[in-house]
Amino acid sequence: MLPIVKISNLDKYFGRLHVLKNISLEVPEREVVCLIGRSGSGKSTLLRCINFLEEPSHGSIEVDGVKVPEDAKGAERRKLIHDVRLRTGMVFQEFNLFPHMSVLENVIEGPVIVKGMDRKQAIELAEKNLNHVDMLWKKDEYPMRLSGGQKQRVAIARALTMEPRVMLFDEPTSALDPELIGEVMNVMKKIAFEGMTMIVVTHEMGFARDVADRVIVMADGGLIEDSKPEDLFNNPKDPRTKALIDRYRAEEQ
Amino acid sequence: MNMFSKAQDAPKSQAELIYEAQARKERKFRANVGLSWFILLFILVFTFSGQSFTIGSITFGGIKIDTEFIANNLAFIAGGLGETIKISLMSIVLAMILALLAALGRLSTFPPIYALSTFYVSLIRGTPLILQIFFFYLALPQLGILLSPLFSGVLALGLNYGAYMSEIFRAGLSSVGKGQREAAIALGMTPTQTMRRIILPQALRFAIPPVGNEFIAMTKDSALVSVTGFAHELMWRSVKVGRAQFHTLEALIMAAMFYWGMTLILSYFQNVVENRLAKGDR
């Protein structure tokens, strides 16, 4: 089966800092991949390279058949990147809802402005997705009046309404109060079970263990482990992975 | 103390008592400020009343102003209000457009645009406003550009305020977090769409209160346009009748009252808008 996301020989430098080192990764359709690792391991940067929020220094990215080769330049490159972004949805740690728009306006903004969708049709789709994350009842509120968990659920609906082929989550629960993490996790589980391809950067080991098909551990800009969650949790190969798992177990006690 | 008759009322909590004490203090402060304003105003009026009083051997006397002159010329000077407002409104609109363009220019990665923006701001901020007003009035006709004196004044004021206000818009633009831009481009928006739909609306909201301040300042600086002698606004009218009838002081006092009244009214609306925005109905 064709992979939805294919990363080939990706390198990323921030100045002289080599943050991603020759990374290659394929994610097939309907798979849920969790990227874990300590902060600074490069996992967020890798995720952000997929939709070109960060420009890779070397290497190519392919999403749903749209390949952005390393040597694509200028207008051609911009066009390809735009096509990649249309195929990816992103959810941020800080939600990044548009504060000057109501919940519904936030969600229809993408389809109407970017895809040129008819407003009525966009509202219909937005309401369906808001209902899906259980936020339809707040559709006329402004983000300021929502809790963190509610904001994040709206952000998920906003990304889903663009009908992406893959959803990218960048530490979606890290900015939340502990009691609000559950509601966001539940929404993510729901869309995972419905078959959405997902790449999730997270510190929530519980989510990785219960929901992921595959867990990738990153350290020092490289992928040090890539396995099924049960293998990873019961039988970590790399000592750095073992340290991560041990710390998670200790916290869970 | 009738402690017993009020026994059924719940005793006030500590927090309530503190809150009430604070509110009392604040009310008292406001009342005293109001009273002091009144006294200051009284002194001001007395100074121009022509009355005098004596304490011991020292006599305090006010300036005598000719109330008849004021009564006769009030209508003529007031007739300049409309012109003053017209000049200010046109200039602020021009200034806002220029300020926004200059602020956007500062964000440009295209050298000529960046240079144009910084050149404009530097040149205008580096020279006096009154010089600019004369300059446009004198220079434009030589370039074959024939604007009415009023418009050349508006052009000078607008250009001048635009240069200063570009900083306001720049601050507004940078007040929008980078997460907003990222969210927009992750949705697939182009840079233009991101600017127009996401960044600008938030930046403009940020800029509303300071732009209000600039507008208030501009209503007064519009008086400078009178130096060309063709914009018949408040200042020009007061100087004209004052000189003609040797009552310049009275004429200026009248103009001052009109300017002050205008800024009081504008400041009031400015406050209303600011409170609205602060309350966060966004």
Side-chain angles (χ1 to χ4, degrees), chain B residues 159-201:
Chain B
L159 274 165
N160 182 275
Y161 270 69
Y164 284 95
M165 283 162 58
S166 70
E167 284 302 314
I168 294 173
F169 286 96
R170 213 150 78 88
L173 289 170
S174 59
S175 77
V176 183
K178 90 181 209 305
Q180 291 290 309
R181 207 186 126 264
E182 288 187 347
I185 61 177
L187 283 174
M189 287 195 193
T190 62
T192 318
Q193 289 169 335
T194 303
M195 183 51 75
R196 196 168 50 83
R197 301 283 312 173
I198 307 302
I199 312 288
L200 270 188

mmCIF file of all heavy atoms in Angstrom, chain B residues 159-201:
data_model
loop_
_atom_site.group_PDB
_atom_site.id
_atom_site.type_symbol
_atom_site.label_atom_id
_atom_site.label_comp_id
_atom_site.label_asym_id
_atom_site.label_seq_id
_atom_site.Cartn_x
_atom_site.Cartn_y
_atom_site.Cartn_z
ATOM 1 N N LEU B 159 0.838 62.891 5.781
ATOM 2 C CA LEU B 159 2.170 62.296 5.609
ATOM 3 C C LEU B 159 2.914 62.295 6.938
ATOM 4 O O LEU B 159 3.565 61.314 7.302
ATOM 5 C CB LEU B 159 2.970 63.090 4.584
ATOM 6 C CG LEU B 159 2.751 62.701 3.127
ATOM 7 C CD1 LEU B 159 3.295 63.795 2.210
ATOM 8 C CD2 LEU B 159 3.438 61.381 2.821
ATOM 9 N N ASN B 160 2.812 63.410 7.655
ATOM 10 C CA ASN B 160 3.533 63.519 8.914
ATOM 11 C C ASN B 160 3.016 62.512 9.941
ATOM 12 O O ASN B 160 3.787 61.736 10.515
ATOM 13 C CB ASN B 160 3.373 64.949 9.450
ATOM 14 C CG ASN B 160 4.148 65.146 10.733
ATOM 15 O OD1 ASN B 160 3.649 64.830 11.801
ATOM 16 N ND2 ASN B 160 5.371 65.634 10.627
ATOM 17 N N TYR B 161 1.727 62.491 10.139
ATOM 18 C CA TYR B 161 1.170 61.570 11.131
ATOM 19 C C TYR B 161 1.327 60.117 10.690
ATOM 20 O O TYR B 161 1.517 59.229 11.512
ATOM 21 C CB TYR B 161 -0.300 61.918 11.414
ATOM 22 C CG TYR B 161 -0.428 62.897 12.551
ATOM 23 C CD1 TYR B 161 -0.003 64.205 12.411
ATOM 24 C CD2 TYR B 161 -0.942 62.493 13.778
ATOM 25 C CE1 TYR B 161 -0.085 65.102 13.450
ATOM 26 C CE2 TYR B 161 -1.030 63.381 14.839
ATOM 27 C CZ TYR B 161 -0.598 64.684 14.668
ATOM 28 O OH TYR B 161 -0.673 65.556 15.712
ATOM 29 N N GLY B 162 1.258 59.895 9.389
ATOM 30 C CA GLY B 162 1.441 58.538 8.879
ATOM 31 C C GLY B 162 2.792 57.976 9.281
ATOM 32 O O GLY B 162 2.920 56.812 9.676
ATOM 33 N N ALA B 163 3.817 58.832 9.198
ATOM 34 C CA ALA B 163 5.164 58.378 9.547
ATOM 35 C C ALA B 163 5.230 57.980 11.018
ATOM 36 O O ALA B 163 5.798 56.945 11.374
ATOM 37 C CB ALA B 163 6.184 59.465 9.236
ATOM 38 N N TYR B 164 4.630 58.819 11.865
ATOM 39 C CA TYR B 164 4.650 58.487 13.298
ATOM 40 C C TYR B 164 3.781 57.267 13.607
ATOM 41 O O TYR B 164 4.142 56.407 14.399
ATOM 42 C CB TYR B 164 4.191 59.685 14.131
ATOM 43 C CG TYR B 164 5.261 60.737 14.246
ATOM 44 C CD1 TYR B 164 5.301 61.817 13.371
ATOM 45 C CD2 TYR B 164 6.255 60.630 15.200
ATOM 46 C CE1 TYR B 164 6.304 62.758 13.452
ATOM 47 C CE2 TYR B 164 7.262 61.568 15.301
ATOM 48 C CZ TYR B 164 7.282 62.633 14.416
ATOM 49 O OH TYR B 164 8.284 63.556 14.504
ATOM 50 N N MET B 165 2.626 57.227 12.943
ATOM 51 C CA MET B 165 1.692 56.147 13.257
ATOM 52 C C MET B 165 2.134 54.791 12.706
ATOM 53 O O MET B 165 1.605 53.761 13.114
ATOM 54 C CB MET B 165 0.292 56.496 12.739
ATOM 55 C CG MET B 165 -0.410 57.501 13.653
ATOM 56 S SD MET B 165 -1.796 58.310 12.842
ATOM 57 C CE MET B 165 -2.785 56.898 12.420
ATOM 58 N N SER B 166 3.103 54.797 11.799
ATOM 59 C CA SER B 166 3.572 53.509 11.278
ATOM 60 C C SER B 166 4.104 52.646 12.426
ATOM 61 O O SER B 166 4.002 51.420 12.395
ATOM 62 C CB SER B 166 4.642 53.714 10.208
ATOM 63 O OG SER B 166 5.827 54.191 10.789
ATOM 64 N N GLU B 167 4.633 53.303 13.449
ATOM 65 C CA GLU B 167 5.117 52.552 14.618
ATOM 66 C C GLU B 167 3.972 51.846 15.330
ATOM 67 O O GLU B 167 4.127 50.735 15.834
ATOM 68 C CB GLU B 167 5.816 53.499 15.599
ATOM 69 C CG GLU B 167 7.197 53.919 15.170
ATOM 70 C CD GLU B 167 8.124 52.723 14.960
ATOM 71 O OE1 GLU B 167 8.151 51.831 15.821
ATOM 72 O OE2 GLU B 167 8.807 52.691 13.926
ATOM 73 N N ILE B 168 2.824 52.517 15.377
ATOM 74 C CA ILE B 168 1.658 51.922 16.031
ATOM 75 C C ILE B 168 1.246 50.645 15.293
ATOM 76 O O ILE B 168 1.009 49.605 15.895
ATOM 77 C CB ILE B 168 0.475 52.912 16.049
ATOM 78 C CG1 ILE B 168 0.806 54.106 16.928
ATOM 79 C CG2 ILE B 168 -0.803 52.226 16.505
ATOM 80 C CD1 ILE B 168 -0.231 55.214 16.867
ATOM 81 N N PHE B 169 1.201 50.745 13.969
ATOM 82 C CA PHE B 169 0.773 49.575 13.196
ATOM 83 C C PHE B 169 1.822 48.468 13.251
ATOM 84 O O PHE B 169 1.496 47.290 13.236
ATOM 85 C CB PHE B 169 0.463 49.976 11.752
ATOM 86 C CG PHE B 169 -0.835 50.729 11.634
ATOM 87 C CD1 PHE B 169 -0.854 52.109 11.613
ATOM 88 C CD2 PHE B 169 -2.044 50.049 11.594
ATOM 89 C CE1 PHE B 169 -2.048 52.800 11.541
ATOM 90 C CE2 PHE B 169 -3.240 50.736 11.520
ATOM 91 C CZ PHE B 169 -3.248 52.114 11.489
ATOM 92 N N ARG B 170 3.068 48.919 13.328
ATOM 93 C CA ARG B 170 4.139 47.923 13.434
ATOM 94 C C ARG B 170 3.999 47.143 14.744
ATOM 95 O O ARG B 170 4.108 45.929 14.771
ATOM 96 C CB ARG B 170 5.496 48.617 13.389
ATOM 97 C CG ARG B 170 6.568 47.805 12.721
ATOM 98 C CD ARG B 170 7.558 48.729 12.081
ATOM 99 N NE ARG B 170 8.478 49.305 13.072
ATOM 100 C CZ ARG B 170 9.613 48.710 13.447
ATOM 101 N NH1 ARG B 170 9.941 47.543 12.955
ATOM 102 N NH2 ARG B 170 10.402 49.288 14.310
ATOM 103 N N ALA B 171 3.726 47.890 15.818
ATOM 104 C CA ALA B 171 3.532 47.234 17.118
ATOM 105 C C ALA B 171 2.311 46.322 17.055
ATOM 106 O O ALA B 171 2.317 45.211 17.586
ATOM 107 C CB ALA B 171 3.344 48.278 18.209
ATOM 108 N N GLY B 172 1.259 46.793 16.371
ATOM 109 C CA GLY B 172 0.047 45.977 16.231
ATOM 110 C C GLY B 172 0.340 44.679 15.505
ATOM 111 O O GLY B 172 -0.081 43.600 15.929
ATOM 112 N N LEU B 173 1.096 44.794 14.419
ATOM 113 C CA LEU B 173 1.419 43.591 13.639
ATOM 114 C C LEU B 173 2.264 42.619 14.463
ATOM 115 O O LEU B 173 2.056 41.405 14.412
ATOM 116 C CB LEU B 173 2.160 43.966 12.354
ATOM 117 C CG LEU B 173 1.312 44.664 11.288
ATOM 118 C CD1 LEU B 173 2.194 45.202 10.178
ATOM 119 C CD2 LEU B 173 0.278 43.708 10.724
ATOM 120 N N SER B 174 3.202 43.166 15.236
ATOM 121 C CA SER B 174 4.058 42.241 15.987
ATOM 122 C C SER B 174 3.374 41.744 17.253
ATOM 123 O O SER B 174 3.864 40.813 17.892
ATOM 124 C CB SER B 174 5.412 42.881 16.296
ATOM 125 O OG SER B 174 5.220 44.043 17.050
ATOM 126 N N SER B 175 2.218 42.360 17.601
ATOM 127 C CA SER B 175 1.490 41.859 18.777
ATOM 128 C C SER B 175 0.773 40.543 18.460
ATOM 129 O O SER B 175 0.341 39.833 19.362
ATOM 130 C CB SER B 175 0.470 42.889 19.250
ATOM 131 O OG SER B 175 -0.659 42.885 18.402
ATOM 132 N N VAL B 176 0.618 40.230 17.188
ATOM 133 C CA VAL B 176 -0.057 38.989 16.808
ATOM 134 C C VAL B 176 0.964 37.849 16.859
ATOM 135 O O VAL B 176 1.987 37.903 16.191
ATOM 136 C CB VAL B 176 -0.669 39.108 15.396
ATOM 137 C CG1 VAL B 176 -1.422 37.837 15.036
ATOM 138 C CG2 VAL B 176 -1.596 40.303 15.329
ATOM 139 N N GLY B 177 0.702 36.884 17.678
ATOM 140 C CA GLY B 177 1.657 35.802 17.909
ATOM 141 C C GLY B 177 1.982 35.016 16.652
ATOM 142 O O GLY B 177 1.199 34.987 15.708
ATOM 143 N N LYS B 178 3.148 34.369 16.648
ATOM 144 C CA LYS B 178 3.538 33.651 15.436
ATOM 145 C C LYS B 178 2.726 32.373 15.258
ATOM 146 O O LYS B 178 2.612 31.851 14.165
ATOM 147 C CB LYS B 178 5.047 33.396 15.424
ATOM 148 C CG LYS B 178 5.560 32.120 16.031
ATOM 149 C CD LYS B 178 7.093 32.118 15.919
ATOM 150 C CE LYS B 178 7.702 30.734 15.811
ATOM 151 N NZ LYS B 178 7.402 29.759 16.837
ATOM 152 N N GLY B 179 2.112 31.925 16.333
ATOM 153 C CA GLY B 179 1.217 30.769 16.239
ATOM 154 C C GLY B 179 0.033 31.032 15.317
ATOM 155 O O GLY B 179 -0.464 30.120 14.649
ATOM 156 N N GLN B 180 -0.423 32.293 15.279
ATOM 157 C CA GLN B 180 -1.557 32.647 14.416
ATOM 158 C C GLN B 180 -1.181 32.458 12.949
ATOM 159 O O GLN B 180 -1.953 31.934 12.162
ATOM 160 C CB GLN B 180 -1.951 34.106 14.668
ATOM 161 C CG GLN B 180 -2.566 34.334 16.025
ATOM 162 C CD GLN B 180 -3.942 33.702 16.122
ATOM 163 O OE1 GLN B 180 -4.787 33.911 15.276
ATOM 164 N NE2 GLN B 180 -4.148 32.890 17.142
ATOM 165 N N ARG B 181 0.024 32.913 12.623
ATOM 166 C CA ARG B 181 0.492 32.784 11.250
ATOM 167 C C ARG B 181 0.643 31.307 10.883
ATOM 168 O O ARG B 181 0.242 30.874 9.812
ATOM 169 C CB ARG B 181 1.839 33.510 11.122
ATOM 170 C CG ARG B 181 2.133 34.003 9.744
ATOM 171 C CD ARG B 181 3.534 34.589 9.657
ATOM 172 N NE ARG B 181 4.258 33.946 8.577
ATOM 173 C CZ ARG B 181 5.089 32.923 8.729
ATOM 174 N NH1 ARG B 181 5.326 32.450 9.929
ATOM 175 N NH2 ARG B 181 5.691 32.401 7.695
ATOM 176 N N GLU B 182 1.201 30.556 11.840
ATOM 177 C CA GLU B 182 1.419 29.135 11.571
ATOM 178 C C GLU B 182 0.097 28.403 11.380
ATOM 179 O O GLU B 182 -0.034 27.555 10.492
ATOM 180 C CB GLU B 182 2.210 28.500 12.720
ATOM 181 C CG GLU B 182 3.655 28.947 12.731
ATOM 182 C CD GLU B 182 4.492 28.191 13.754
ATOM 183 O OE1 GLU B 182 3.904 27.496 14.615
ATOM 184 O OE2 GLU B 182 5.717 28.298 13.689
ATOM 185 N N ALA B 183 -0.890 28.739 12.230
ATOM 186 C CA ALA B 183 -2.185 28.085 12.094
ATOM 187 C C ALA B 183 -2.784 28.385 10.729
ATOM 188 O O ALA B 183 -3.370 27.520 10.079
ATOM 189 C CB ALA B 183 -3.128 28.554 13.206
ATOM 190 N N ALA B 184 -2.619 29.637 10.284
ATOM 191 C CA ALA B 184 -3.189 30.035 8.995
ATOM 192 C C ALA B 184 -2.496 29.316 7.837
ATOM 193 O O ALA B 184 -3.166 28.780 6.946
ATOM 194 C CB ALA B 184 -3.079 31.546 8.817
ATOM 195 N N ILE B 185 -1.170 29.270 7.861
ATOM 196 C CA ILE B 185 -0.509 28.628 6.727
ATOM 197 C C ILE B 185 -0.673 27.112 6.782
ATOM 198 O O ILE B 185 -0.712 26.458 5.754
ATOM 199 C CB ILE B 185 0.972 29.047 6.543
ATOM 200 C CG1 ILE B 185 1.825 28.681 7.737
ATOM 201 C CG2 ILE B 185 1.108 30.502 6.239
ATOM 202 C CD1 ILE B 185 3.293 29.033 7.525
ATOM 203 N N ALA B 186 -0.839 26.556 7.986
ATOM 204 C CA ALA B 186 -1.097 25.116 8.075
ATOM 205 C C ALA B 186 -2.447 24.783 7.433
ATOM 206 O O ALA B 186 -2.648 23.690 6.906
ATOM 207 C CB ALA B 186 -1.066 24.648 9.529
ATOM 208 N N LEU B 187 -3.380 25.741 7.464
ATOM 209 C CA LEU B 187 -4.675 25.537 6.804
ATOM 210 C C LEU B 187 -4.544 25.658 5.287
ATOM 211 O O LEU B 187 -5.466 25.336 4.560
ATOM 212 C CB LEU B 187 -5.699 26.554 7.289
ATOM 213 C CG LEU B 187 -6.326 26.326 8.659
ATOM 214 C CD1 LEU B 187 -7.207 27.514 9.032
ATOM 215 C CD2 LEU B 187 -7.143 25.050 8.682
ATOM 216 N N GLY B 188 -3.410 26.155 4.836
ATOM 217 C CA GLY B 188 -3.180 26.300 3.402
ATOM 218 C C GLY B 188 -3.343 27.724 2.908
ATOM 219 O O GLY B 188 -3.412 27.964 1.710
ATOM 220 N N MET B 189 -3.434 28.690 3.821
ATOM 221 C CA MET B 189 -3.593 30.077 3.377
ATOM 222 C C MET B 189 -2.303 30.584 2.759
ATOM 223 O O MET B 189 -1.212 30.252 3.207
ATOM 224 C CB MET B 189 -3.958 30.974 4.561
ATOM 225 C CG MET B 189 -5.371 30.783 5.045
ATOM 226 S SD MET B 189 -5.830 32.148 6.115
ATOM 227 C CE MET B 189 -7.323 31.473 6.810
ATOM 228 N N THR B 190 -2.452 31.441 1.755
ATOM 229 C CA THR B 190 -1.294 32.101 1.159
ATOM 230 C C THR B 190 -0.868 33.233 2.096
ATOM 231 O O THR B 190 -1.652 33.624 2.969
ATOM 232 C CB THR B 190 -1.668 32.709 -0.208
ATOM 233 O OG1 THR B 190 -2.681 33.705 0.018
ATOM 234 C CG2 THR B 190 -2.202 31.659 -1.153
ATOM 235 N N PRO B 191 0.341 33.770 1.905
ATOM 236 C CA PRO B 191 0.768 34.879 2.767
ATOM 237 C C PRO B 191 -0.213 36.059 2.739
ATOM 238 O O PRO B 191 -0.485 36.679 3.761
ATOM 239 C CB PRO B 191 2.129 35.281 2.177
ATOM 240 C CG PRO B 191 2.644 34.026 1.561
ATOM 241 C CD PRO B 191 1.435 33.292 1.041
ATOM 242 N N THR B 192 -0.761 36.349 1.553
ATOM 243 C CA THR B 192 -1.716 37.461 1.446
ATOM 244 C C THR B 192 -2.983 37.170 2.237
ATOM 245 O O THR B 192 -3.490 38.022 2.964
ATOM 246 C CB THR B 192 -2.082 37.707 -0.032
ATOM 247 O OG1 THR B 192 -0.902 37.613 -0.806
ATOM 248 C CG2 THR B 192 -2.719 39.057 -0.204
ATOM 249 N N GLN B 193 -3.512 35.950 2.080
ATOM 250 C CA GLN B 193 -4.716 35.582 2.834
ATOM 251 C C GLN B 193 -4.453 35.631 4.338
ATOM 252 O O GLN B 193 -5.291 36.100 5.103
ATOM 253 C CB GLN B 193 -5.175 34.170 2.445
ATOM 254 C CG GLN B 193 -5.771 34.088 1.054
ATOM 255 C CD GLN B 193 -5.970 32.653 0.598
ATOM 256 O OE1 GLN B 193 -5.297 31.729 1.051
ATOM 257 N NE2 GLN B 193 -6.895 32.460 -0.324
ATOM 258 N N THR B 194 -3.281 35.141 4.728
ATOM 259 C CA THR B 194 -2.935 35.136 6.152
ATOM 260 C C THR B 194 -2.913 36.556 6.694
ATOM 261 O O THR B 194 -3.469 36.842 7.752
ATOM 262 C CB THR B 194 -1.544 34.499 6.349
ATOM 263 O OG1 THR B 194 -1.572 33.190 5.797
ATOM 264 C CG2 THR B 194 -1.188 34.416 7.815
ATOM 265 N N MET B 195 -2.304 37.467 5.936
ATOM 266 C CA MET B 195 -2.225 38.860 6.366
ATOM 267 C C MET B 195 -3.625 39.468 6.449
ATOM 268 O O MET B 195 -3.996 40.084 7.442
ATOM 269 C CB MET B 195 -1.342 39.629 5.364
ATOM 270 C CG MET B 195 -1.087 41.081 5.688
ATOM 271 S SD MET B 195 -0.487 41.395 7.357
ATOM 272 C CE MET B 195 1.205 40.853 7.245
ATOM 273 N N ARG B 196 -4.402 39.277 5.414
ATOM 274 C CA ARG B 196 -5.701 39.956 5.301
ATOM 275 C C ARG B 196 -6.740 39.384 6.275
ATOM 276 O O ARG B 196 -7.504 40.113 6.884
ATOM 277 C CB ARG B 196 -6.200 39.801 3.859
ATOM 278 C CG ARG B 196 -7.308 40.740 3.457
ATOM 279 C CD ARG B 196 -7.515 40.701 1.940
ATOM 280 N NE ARG B 196 -7.648 39.349 1.435
ATOM 281 C CZ ARG B 196 -8.784 38.650 1.453
ATOM 282 N NH1 ARG B 196 -9.874 39.178 1.958
ATOM 283 N NH2 ARG B 196 -8.823 37.422 0.977
ATOM 284 N N ARG B 197 -6.740 38.073 6.422
ATOM 285 C CA ARG B 197 -7.810 37.440 7.208
ATOM 286 C C ARG B 197 -7.449 37.255 8.683
ATOM 287 O O ARG B 197 -8.314 37.263 9.541
ATOM 288 C CB ARG B 197 -8.130 36.052 6.610
ATOM 289 C CG ARG B 197 -8.584 36.062 5.179
ATOM 290 C CD ARG B 197 -9.997 36.501 5.045
ATOM 291 N NE ARG B 197 -10.885 35.832 5.971
ATOM 292 C CZ ARG B 197 -12.162 36.158 6.123
ATOM 293 N NH1 ARG B 197 -12.667 37.147 5.425
ATOM 294 N NH2 ARG B 197 -12.913 35.506 6.981
ATOM 295 N N ILE B 198 -6.153 37.036 8.959
ATOM 296 C CA ILE B 198 -5.772 36.643 10.316
ATOM 297 C C ILE B 198 -4.960 37.720 11.032
ATOM 298 O O ILE B 198 -5.296 38.126 12.139
ATOM 299 C CB ILE B 198 -4.948 35.322 10.280
ATOM 300 C CG1 ILE B 198 -5.702 34.245 9.494
ATOM 301 C CG2 ILE B 198 -4.619 34.848 11.693
ATOM 302 C CD1 ILE B 198 -7.082 33.912 10.021
ATOM 303 N N ILE B 199 -3.907 38.207 10.392
ATOM 304 C CA ILE B 199 -3.000 39.119 11.098
ATOM 305 C C ILE B 199 -3.587 40.541 11.194
ATOM 306 O O ILE B 199 -3.676 41.108 12.277
ATOM 307 C CB ILE B 199 -1.614 39.185 10.394
ATOM 308 C CG1 ILE B 199 -1.084 37.790 10.090
ATOM 309 C CG2 ILE B 199 -0.625 39.982 11.232
ATOM 310 C CD1 ILE B 199 -0.621 36.994 11.255
ATOM 311 N N LEU B 200 -3.998 41.089 10.033
ATOM 312 C CA LEU B 200 -4.462 42.485 10.030
ATOM 313 C C LEU B 200 -5.634 42.752 10.959
ATOM 314 O O LEU B 200 -5.613 43.716 11.714
ATOM 315 C CB LEU B 200 -4.800 42.930 8.603
ATOM 316 C CG LEU B 200 -3.665 43.563 7.807
ATOM 317 C CD1 LEU B 200 -4.197 44.135 6.497
ATOM 318 C CD2 LEU B 200 -2.970 44.652 8.602
ATOM 319 N N PRO B 201 -6.686 41.911 10.938
ATOM 320 C CA PRO B 201 -7.809 42.223 11.830
ATOM 321 C C PRO B 201 -7.388 42.309 13.295
ATOM 322 O O PRO B 201 -7.869 43.168 14.029
ATOM 323 C CB PRO B 201 -8.769 41.051 11.621
ATOM 324 C CG PRO B 201 -8.418 40.475 10.308
ATOM 325 C CD PRO B 201 -6.948 40.722 10.115
#
